[in-house]
Amino acid sequence: MRRYATTVLVMAWFIGCGSPDEAQEADPGASENAASEAIAAALAIADEYVAGYYDQFPEEAYETGYPAPLERMGDHGPTAMEAWEAREDAWLARLRSIDSDLLEGSEAAVPYTFSLERLQASVARRVCRTQLWTVSPTWTGWQNFFPGVFAKQPVGTEDARSSSIARARDVSRYIDTEIENLRLGVQEGFTAPRSNVERVIDQLDALLFVPAEETPYYDPALRTEERAFATELAVVISDELLPAARRYRDFLADEYMVYHATLPLTPEDIHEAGLREMERIQGEMRDIGRRSFGTEDVQKLLLMVRADPAYSFQMPEAIVAFAQAAVDRAKAAMPDWFGVVPRAKVALKPYPDYMRVTGGGFYSAGAPDGSTPGTFEFGTHEPRNLNRGGGFEATTFHETYPGHHMQVNVGLEGSG
């Protein structure tokens, strides 16, 4: 935050009202009152923004444990998103009207900065129109992150189970909205790459191949003894959720299978940007090669790492063990680097079969009361093609320690 806040305030008084002493004599409590009002306003806006965000996108709360609505998914349709953007604009205008210098060192400093930066970034991203072309085989695709939502869905009470049924039923509405968004995207020139579309179709084919009880959406039923609930959930999945998933799959295969760039870039622009990025990456690789392998030849380094069986996996179980060892090492090192380490545990979970071709991984938070751990999910498909010298270990650290598991649970436990 701004260390010069006090100096700026004193200078403002001097310029506008004479000397600092004269200003203080004129109204000694004005500055204190202004700061109190600014702090209260910043905290109120931050609270409104976070609550509003998870009300608009409740499906995202599984990552953080925020008490969002549990009976529905968000509405990403054009009308709902237009209303949401208007709310963002209003919050941003209110934040910008606050003199941030008045928040220096106060409890509102971090919430103010967080809300301001998030809102500014969201407004800046609008030009991308991502809701019109998001067809993703990674965790950003609904077919991949919705299982995480249902894995965290509470089922301990009758109301919670009713919410689970309602949310499962609402998935079909969400999927149909996604289809309409993609249709609108095609009309306006926003489309996803063919490679993404093909991989998503493969994922959906695998999902649609299994019965309702073997889909990840049935997970809530596996965590309760209420058989009537399990039966009803299976019926909703079979009769409503999976047919919607098939509509999405058929839409992609029959209507959407297109590929073209939508950015106003010339081929020369793209080529030059790629060359610059490759040079930066290869510079880092040469440093690693020199330090650890005795060569600065990038091609030789890659051949050495790829050819050596010591850097590949033989079985999916070896990937899980590798990830667990990385988590254990990272967790043991956390007290040396951080004053607060969360008590919450993190569980490792390979992707289900229908997501087997999904790369990378993602994290979802556990219950705030500690009854369920945080979860790092990742792919174990074709283990011989996953190299130990690649980015998987870095992804593991990013999602667990000192990454999202630390980030989310320090906040949850600190606010509990």
Side-chain angles (χ1 to χ4, degrees):
M1 294 300 292
R2 295 179 176 86
R3 300 292 183 184
Y4 52 84
T6 304
T7 302
V8 171
L9 285 172
V10 170
M11 289 177 62
W13 278 112
F14 182 82
I15 294 171
C17 308
S19 72
D21 290 340
E22 290 173 344
Q24 188 173 14
E25 289 175 4
D27 190 355
S31 179
E32 182 177 346
N33 290 339
S36 296
E37 292 175 1
I39 291 169
L43 289 173
I45 297 167
D47 286 344
E48 289 176 27
Y49 169 55
V50 173
Y53 184 89
Y54 284 117
D55 184 69
Q56 177 68 26
F57 309 106
E59 66 276 8
E60 296 187 25
Y62 83 98
E63 295 181 291
T64 62
Y66 188 88
L70 296 170
E71 73 282 359
R72 60 180 173 82
M73 300 298 182
D75 187 348
H76 294 193
T79 300
M81 291 305 298
E82 183 178 353
W84 169 248
E85 290 175 0
R87 296 180 71 188
E88 286 186 314
D89 291 340
W91 283 318
L92 188 55
R94 289 167 61 193
L95 285 172
R96 285 172 170 166
S97 71
I98 296 173
D99 183 353
S100 60
D101 291 340
L102 296 173
L103 308 179
E104 170 70 19
S106 76
E107 61 181 325
V110 171
Y112 168 85
T113 303
F114 166 82
S115 301
L116 182 66
E117 291 183 353
R118 282 289 299 254
L119 285 164
Q120 288 174 332
S122 180
V123 171
R125 286 197 305 269
R126 288 177 189 173
V127 68
C128 299
R129 308 288 298 280
T130 54
Q131 71 270 22
L132 301 185
W133 55 278
T134 298
V135 182
S136 173
T138 71
W139 66 271
T140 56
W142 65 264
Q143 75 283 358
N144 292 334
F145 79 81
F146 274 15
V149 175
F150 281 86
K152 303 299 181 182
Q153 189 81 14
V155 292
T157 66
E158 184 176 350
D159 286 345
R161 292 188 289 275
S162 294
S163 293
S164 295
I165 296 295
R167 174 165 267 178
R169 183 164 282 129
D170 195 46
V171 171
S172 61
R173 189 268 316 160
Y174 183 102
I175 293 174
D176 287 338
T177 301
E178 291 293 291
I179 293 173
E180 292 309 310
N181 280 345
L182 294 176
R183 282 200 175 105
L184 180 59
V186 171
Q187 295 172 12
E188 298 191 9
F190 293 83
T191 56
R194 174 180 288 271
S195 58
N196 278 14
V197 178
E198 290 173 341
R199 292 179 65 189
V200 170
I201 290 173
D202 289 343
Q203 291 177 343
L204 292 171
D205 284 342
L207 172 66
L208 294 166
F209 181 76
V210 300
E213 293 82 359
E214 295 181 20
T215 68
Y217 301 98
Y218 191 71
D219 186 274
L222 304 178
R223 293 182 276 111
T224 177
E225 299 297 324
E226 297 292 332
R227 293 301 91 197
F229 164 72
T231 300
E232 184 178 5
L233 182 60
V235 170
V236 171
I237 295 171
S238 295
D239 294 354
E240 300 180 39
L241 194 156
L242 291 180
R246 179 163 292 283
R247 288 195 296 275
Y248 185 84
R249 182 260 176 223
D250 291 345
F251 164 74
L252 294 181
D254 299 338
E255 297 184 39
Y256 194 78
M257 191 65 76
V258 294
Y259 175 83
H260 60 81
T262 57
L263 294 175
L265 298 175
T266 67
E268 292 77 16
D269 291 335
I270 297 172
H271 182 67
E272 289 300 322
L275 291 178
R276 290 193 300 271
E277 185 65 10
M278 285 301 299
E279 178 56 32
R280 182 188 66 80
I281 293 171
Q282 291 190 3
E284 295 180 1
M285 295 174 71
R286 284 191 290 270
D287 289 341
I288 294 172
R290 183 181 62 256
R291 292 197 311 268
S292 302
F293 295 89
T295 180
E296 294 188 10
D297 187 322
V298 172
Q299 294 302 317
K300 182 178 179 180
L301 171 65
L302 293 174
L303 289 173
M304 290 171 61
V305 173
R306 290 169 180 167
D308 191 336
Y311 291 103
S312 64
F313 299 97
Q314 300 302 310
M315 301 291 291
E317 294 79 7
I319 300 175
V320 178
F322 180 78
Q324 187 64 64
V327 170
D328 292 344
R329 293 199 321 275
K331 181 179 180 180
M334 289 304 97
D336 296 333
W337 293 89
F338 298 95
V340 177
V341 179
R343 298 184 300 274
K345 297 180 180 179
V346 58
L348 305 187
K349 181 181 178 181
Y351 286 142
D353 285 345
Y354 88 94
M355 289 173 60
R356 63 187 183 277
V357 298
T358 301
F362 66 90
Y363 174 81
S364 56
D369 62 3
S371 57
T372 58
T375 305
F376 168 43
E377 296 191 53
F378 52 91
T380 57
H381 184 54
E382 296 183 349
R384 289 181 176 82
N385 292 334
L386 183 61
N387 196 277
R388 295 172 187 264
F392 179 61
E393 186 176 56
T395 299
T396 301
F397 295 145
H398 173 89
E399 302 293 347
T400 60
Y401 300 98
H404 292 314
H405 182 67
M406 280 277 290
Q407 169 199 7
V408 170
N409 287 284
V410 165
L412 289 177
E413 294 177 10
S415 62

